[in-house]
Amino acid sequence: KLSVQERSKALDDLHCVGEELKETPEMIEVSLAEFDQILRERNEPIYNLATSQNRSYVEDPSFRLRFLRANLHDVHKSVNQMIGFLSRKEKYFGRDKVARDVTLDDLDEDDIELLLSGLYHIQDGTDRSGRVVVYFTNHLVGLSRAESIIRVNYFIFFNILSQMPSVQTKGIVLCYYDLSTPMQPLSFPSLDTVLE
């Protein structure tokens, strides 16, 4: 038999409930300083492009904290994730948008149609662990260009969800509804890109 603590831990594991990130001002300061040092040492072309376009955007602590929190302040992982993020942003939105927020004006007609289609629904309120709940349906995935799906995912996850402090520290619950029939294969080309 499991003890009460073991049972509680098993249930938390089953529901992907981990320990909440507990930050201190000192932890943030040390992580941000190390983040900056690693970037200077690596001399990444995409980061250099971003700083030449808008240094304040990529050096903004709130921007960098999104990556640090997503990786529980593992600075090397956070820097790698930010570099990958900037590279994909350049690929899907263009070189001129690397160092600024993507807006609705940056989405094309297909992207806007997909955004408004109900592909995603962000629930009002949270689950019992304080995480935002996001519903995703695949009803337009096979009918939409992969680039549009990726661009809409980017817009929703970075411009809307990751702005929320609770999402940065607790994550989200993503509920997937497969609306395809048994005879239709599910094609979801951008999940790996979104989750990177």
Side-chain angles (χ1 to χ4, degrees), residues 79-143:
V79 169
N80 288 338
Q81 187 181 40
M82 187 188 80
I83 295 302
F85 170 83
L86 294 173
S87 296
R88 283 185 297 282
K89 192 173 181 186
E90 176 188 30
K91 178 178 180 178
Y92 292 107
F93 290 97
R95 195 169 181 83
D96 60 319
K97 295 175 183 74
V98 171
R100 69 170 181 81
D101 287 334
V102 171
T103 67
L104 286 173
D105 291 335
D106 298 317
L107 301 178
D108 67 24
E109 194 174 302
D110 291 340
D111 301 340
I112 297 291
E113 181 181 339
L114 191 60
L115 182 66
L116 298 176
S117 72
L119 184 71
Y120 282 102
H121 171 73
I122 301 170
Q123 177 178 305
D124 187 24
T126 62
D127 74 348
R128 70 179 180 95
S129 298
R131 298 174 298 184
V132 172
V133 179
V134 179
Y135 296 92
F136 169 80
T137 61
N138 70 326
H139 69 285
L140 290 177
V141 170
L143 304 173

Side-chain angles (χ1 to χ4, degrees), residues 10-188:
L11 284 172
D12 284 349
D13 289 346
L14 176 68
H15 295 285
C16 300
V17 177
E19 289 186 33
E20 187 175 339
L21 177 63
K22 292 176 176 58
E23 290 179 323
T24 64
E26 295 79 23
M27 178 187 199
I28 292 171
E29 184 179 338
V30 168
S31 293
L32 288 171
E34 187 179 342
F35 196 104
D36 192 56
Q37 179 182 350
I38 292 169
L39 280 171
R40 279 187 272 121
E41 290 170 359
R42 285 183 49 177
N43 195 29
E44 292 282 347
I46 191 69
Y47 181 73
N48 294 338
L49 171 66
T51 57
S52 72
Q53 290 179 357
N54 185 356
R55 180 175 296 275
S56 64
Y57 179 82
V58 291
E59 290 183 352
D60 184 338
S62 66
F63 177 75
R64 291 179 175 187
L65 274 170
R66 293 182 197 185
F67 301 100
L68 286 165
R69 289 173 173 154
N71 293 288
L72 302 174
H73 282 260
D74 181 321
V75 180
H76 286 279
K77 281 184 181 178
S78 301
V79 169
N80 288 338
Q81 187 181 40
M82 187 188 80
I83 295 302
F85 170 83
L86 294 173
S87 296
R88 283 185 297 282
K89 192 173 181 186
E90 176 188 30
K91 178 178 180 178
Y92 292 107
F93 290 97
R95 195 169 181 83
D96 60 319
K97 295 175 183 74
V98 171
R100 69 170 181 81
D101 287 334
V102 171
T103 67
L104 286 173
D105 291 335
D106 298 317
L107 301 178
D108 67 24
E109 194 174 302
D110 291 340
D111 301 340
I112 297 291
E113 181 181 339
L114 191 60
L115 182 66
L116 298 176
S117 72
L119 184 71
Y120 282 102
H121 171 73
I122 301 170
Q123 177 178 305
D124 187 24
T126 62
D127 74 348
R128 70 179 180 95
S129 298
R131 298 174 298 184
V132 172
V133 179
V134 179
Y135 296 92
F136 169 80
T137 61
N138 70 326
H139 69 285
L140 290 177
V141 170
L143 304 173
S144 302
R145 293 182 340 223
E147 293 81 11
S148 283
I149 295 168
I150 291 168
R151 290 161 54 92
V152 169
N153 284 335
Y154 172 93
F155 186 81
I156 289 171
F157 281 86
F158 198 78
N159 286 28
I160 298 170
L161 292 170
S162 78
Q163 302 262 349
M164 301 175 192
S166 67
V167 169
Q168 293 176 23
T169 58
K170 297 178 183 181
I172 66 167
V173 175
L174 181 62
C175 300
Y176 174 74
Y177 286 107
D178 184 358
L179 299 177
S180 63
T181 63
M183 299 303 289
Q184 294 174 322
L186 174 63
S187 172
F188 190 46

